[in-house]
Amino acid sequence: MTLDLFGNDDARHDSPQTDELGPGAFVLRGFAQPQLTTLQADIDAVIAQAPLRHWLTPGGKRMSVAMTNCGEVGWISDRMGYRYGAHDPLSRQPWPSMPASFEVLAQHAAEAAGYRDFRPDACLINRYALDARLTLHQDRDERELGAPIVSVSLGLPAIFLWGGLQRSDRTRRVRLAPGDVVVWGGPSRLAYHGIASVEGSFDAQAVRYNLTFRQAR
């Protein structure tokens, strides 16, 4: 794998329009736009091996967002709690390997936000229908909290909630378009965040996908 997987025109990654959310947290506008077709094809390939499913929360509630994973480990939620595991609980097989397009994009985005040497070993794939939401939460199940989070948007636009280090802190509403990438780490690594709504028509086939890259172990 080489870092020129997407071609030699690195200028499109060097100076994205950047919105600062907080210390160490940025929205890289349109950063993944040139790769959306490749990324979607690779998402479909992962889903063919590890189908989307609606996890249960530890309290027994069904999540509205459909999820699956790829990489060395995958994020799991059930009545036993939140955790990472090397095997898909449904198939008992290892999670699909992370596509090269995913890993290279995550590394490029992290570097563009100031985080070098990011080596994601987990990618959570979320699919949002129009009625799906993701309540405010922290990404804190990873062993390596010094590594950033990289989150890539595809499909329908969405309203992203960005809060502080306490759940009660005031939140910002940030519109994410296809190709936008959010990167956060450092002082903002444990900031609360979520998805308030997905924008779209009543087309049942229209969905939003999100790729969340983490260094879990």
Side-chain angles (χ1 to χ4, degrees):
M1 182 187 71
T2 61
L3 291 181
D4 62 357
L5 179 68
F6 298 135
N8 295 321
D9 183 10
D10 290 332
R12 61 192 173 196
H13 289 313
D14 288 344
S15 302
Q17 178 186 337
T18 303
D19 298 339
E20 185 172 2
L21 296 175
F26 307 93
V27 182
L28 309 180
R29 295 294 182 183
F31 191 87
Q33 187 69 39
Q35 287 80 51
L36 290 181
T37 300
T38 298
L39 294 172
Q40 186 61 60
D42 285 338
I43 289 172
D44 294 341
V46 170
I47 292 172
Q49 298 179 65
L52 292 158
R53 75 290 307 265
H54 294 267
W55 295 123
L56 294 178
T57 67
K61 293 184 178 180
R62 179 180 181 270
M63 293 185 177
S64 64
V65 180
M67 302 180 180
T68 191
N69 294 279
C70 62
E72 296 175 22
V73 292
W75 187 81
I76 299 167
S77 175
D78 56 25
R79 290 182 179 273
M80 296 175 60
Y82 305 127
R83 62 195 184 280
Y84 284 93
H87 293 81
D88 183 342
L90 297 185
S91 67
R92 302 187 184 277
Q93 297 298 313
W95 294 105
S97 298
M98 188 181 300
S101 65
F102 286 18
E103 185 172 1
V104 172
L105 174 60
Q107 291 173 346
H108 273 150
E111 186 169 356
Y115 299 99
R116 296 183 179 276
D117 301 320
F118 179 51
R119 295 292 181 266
D121 57 8
C123 176
L124 175 64
I125 300 174
N126 289 349
R127 186 187 68 187
Y128 293 80
L130 289 177
D131 60 349
R133 306 288 185 270
L134 196 61
T135 58
L136 284 175
H137 64 283
Q138 296 171 302
D139 288 358
R140 60 181 310 143
D141 301 316
E142 299 75 35
R143 295 180 186 174
E144 182 48 77
L145 295 179
I149 302 292
V150 175
S151 178
V152 182
S153 293
L154 301 89
L156 295 175
I159 301 301
F160 178 64
L161 297 176
W162 179 257
L165 298 180
Q166 304 295 323
R167 187 184 295 274
S168 59
D169 289 346
R170 184 176 179 180
T171 60
R172 293 173 55 186
R173 297 171 65 89
V174 181
R175 186 178 188 272
L176 297 180
D180 287 347
V181 180
V182 186
V183 183
W184 66 94
S188 295
R189 175 60 178 76
L190 292 178
Y192 278 88
H193 58 282
I195 293 293
S197 61
V198 176
E199 299 178 359
S201 65
F202 292 99
D203 181 359
Q205 301 301 314
V207 296
R208 173 182 187 261
Y209 281 99
N210 175 252
L211 305 176
T212 303
F213 297 95
R214 300 166 177 150
Q215 192 170 320
R217 293 187 173 181

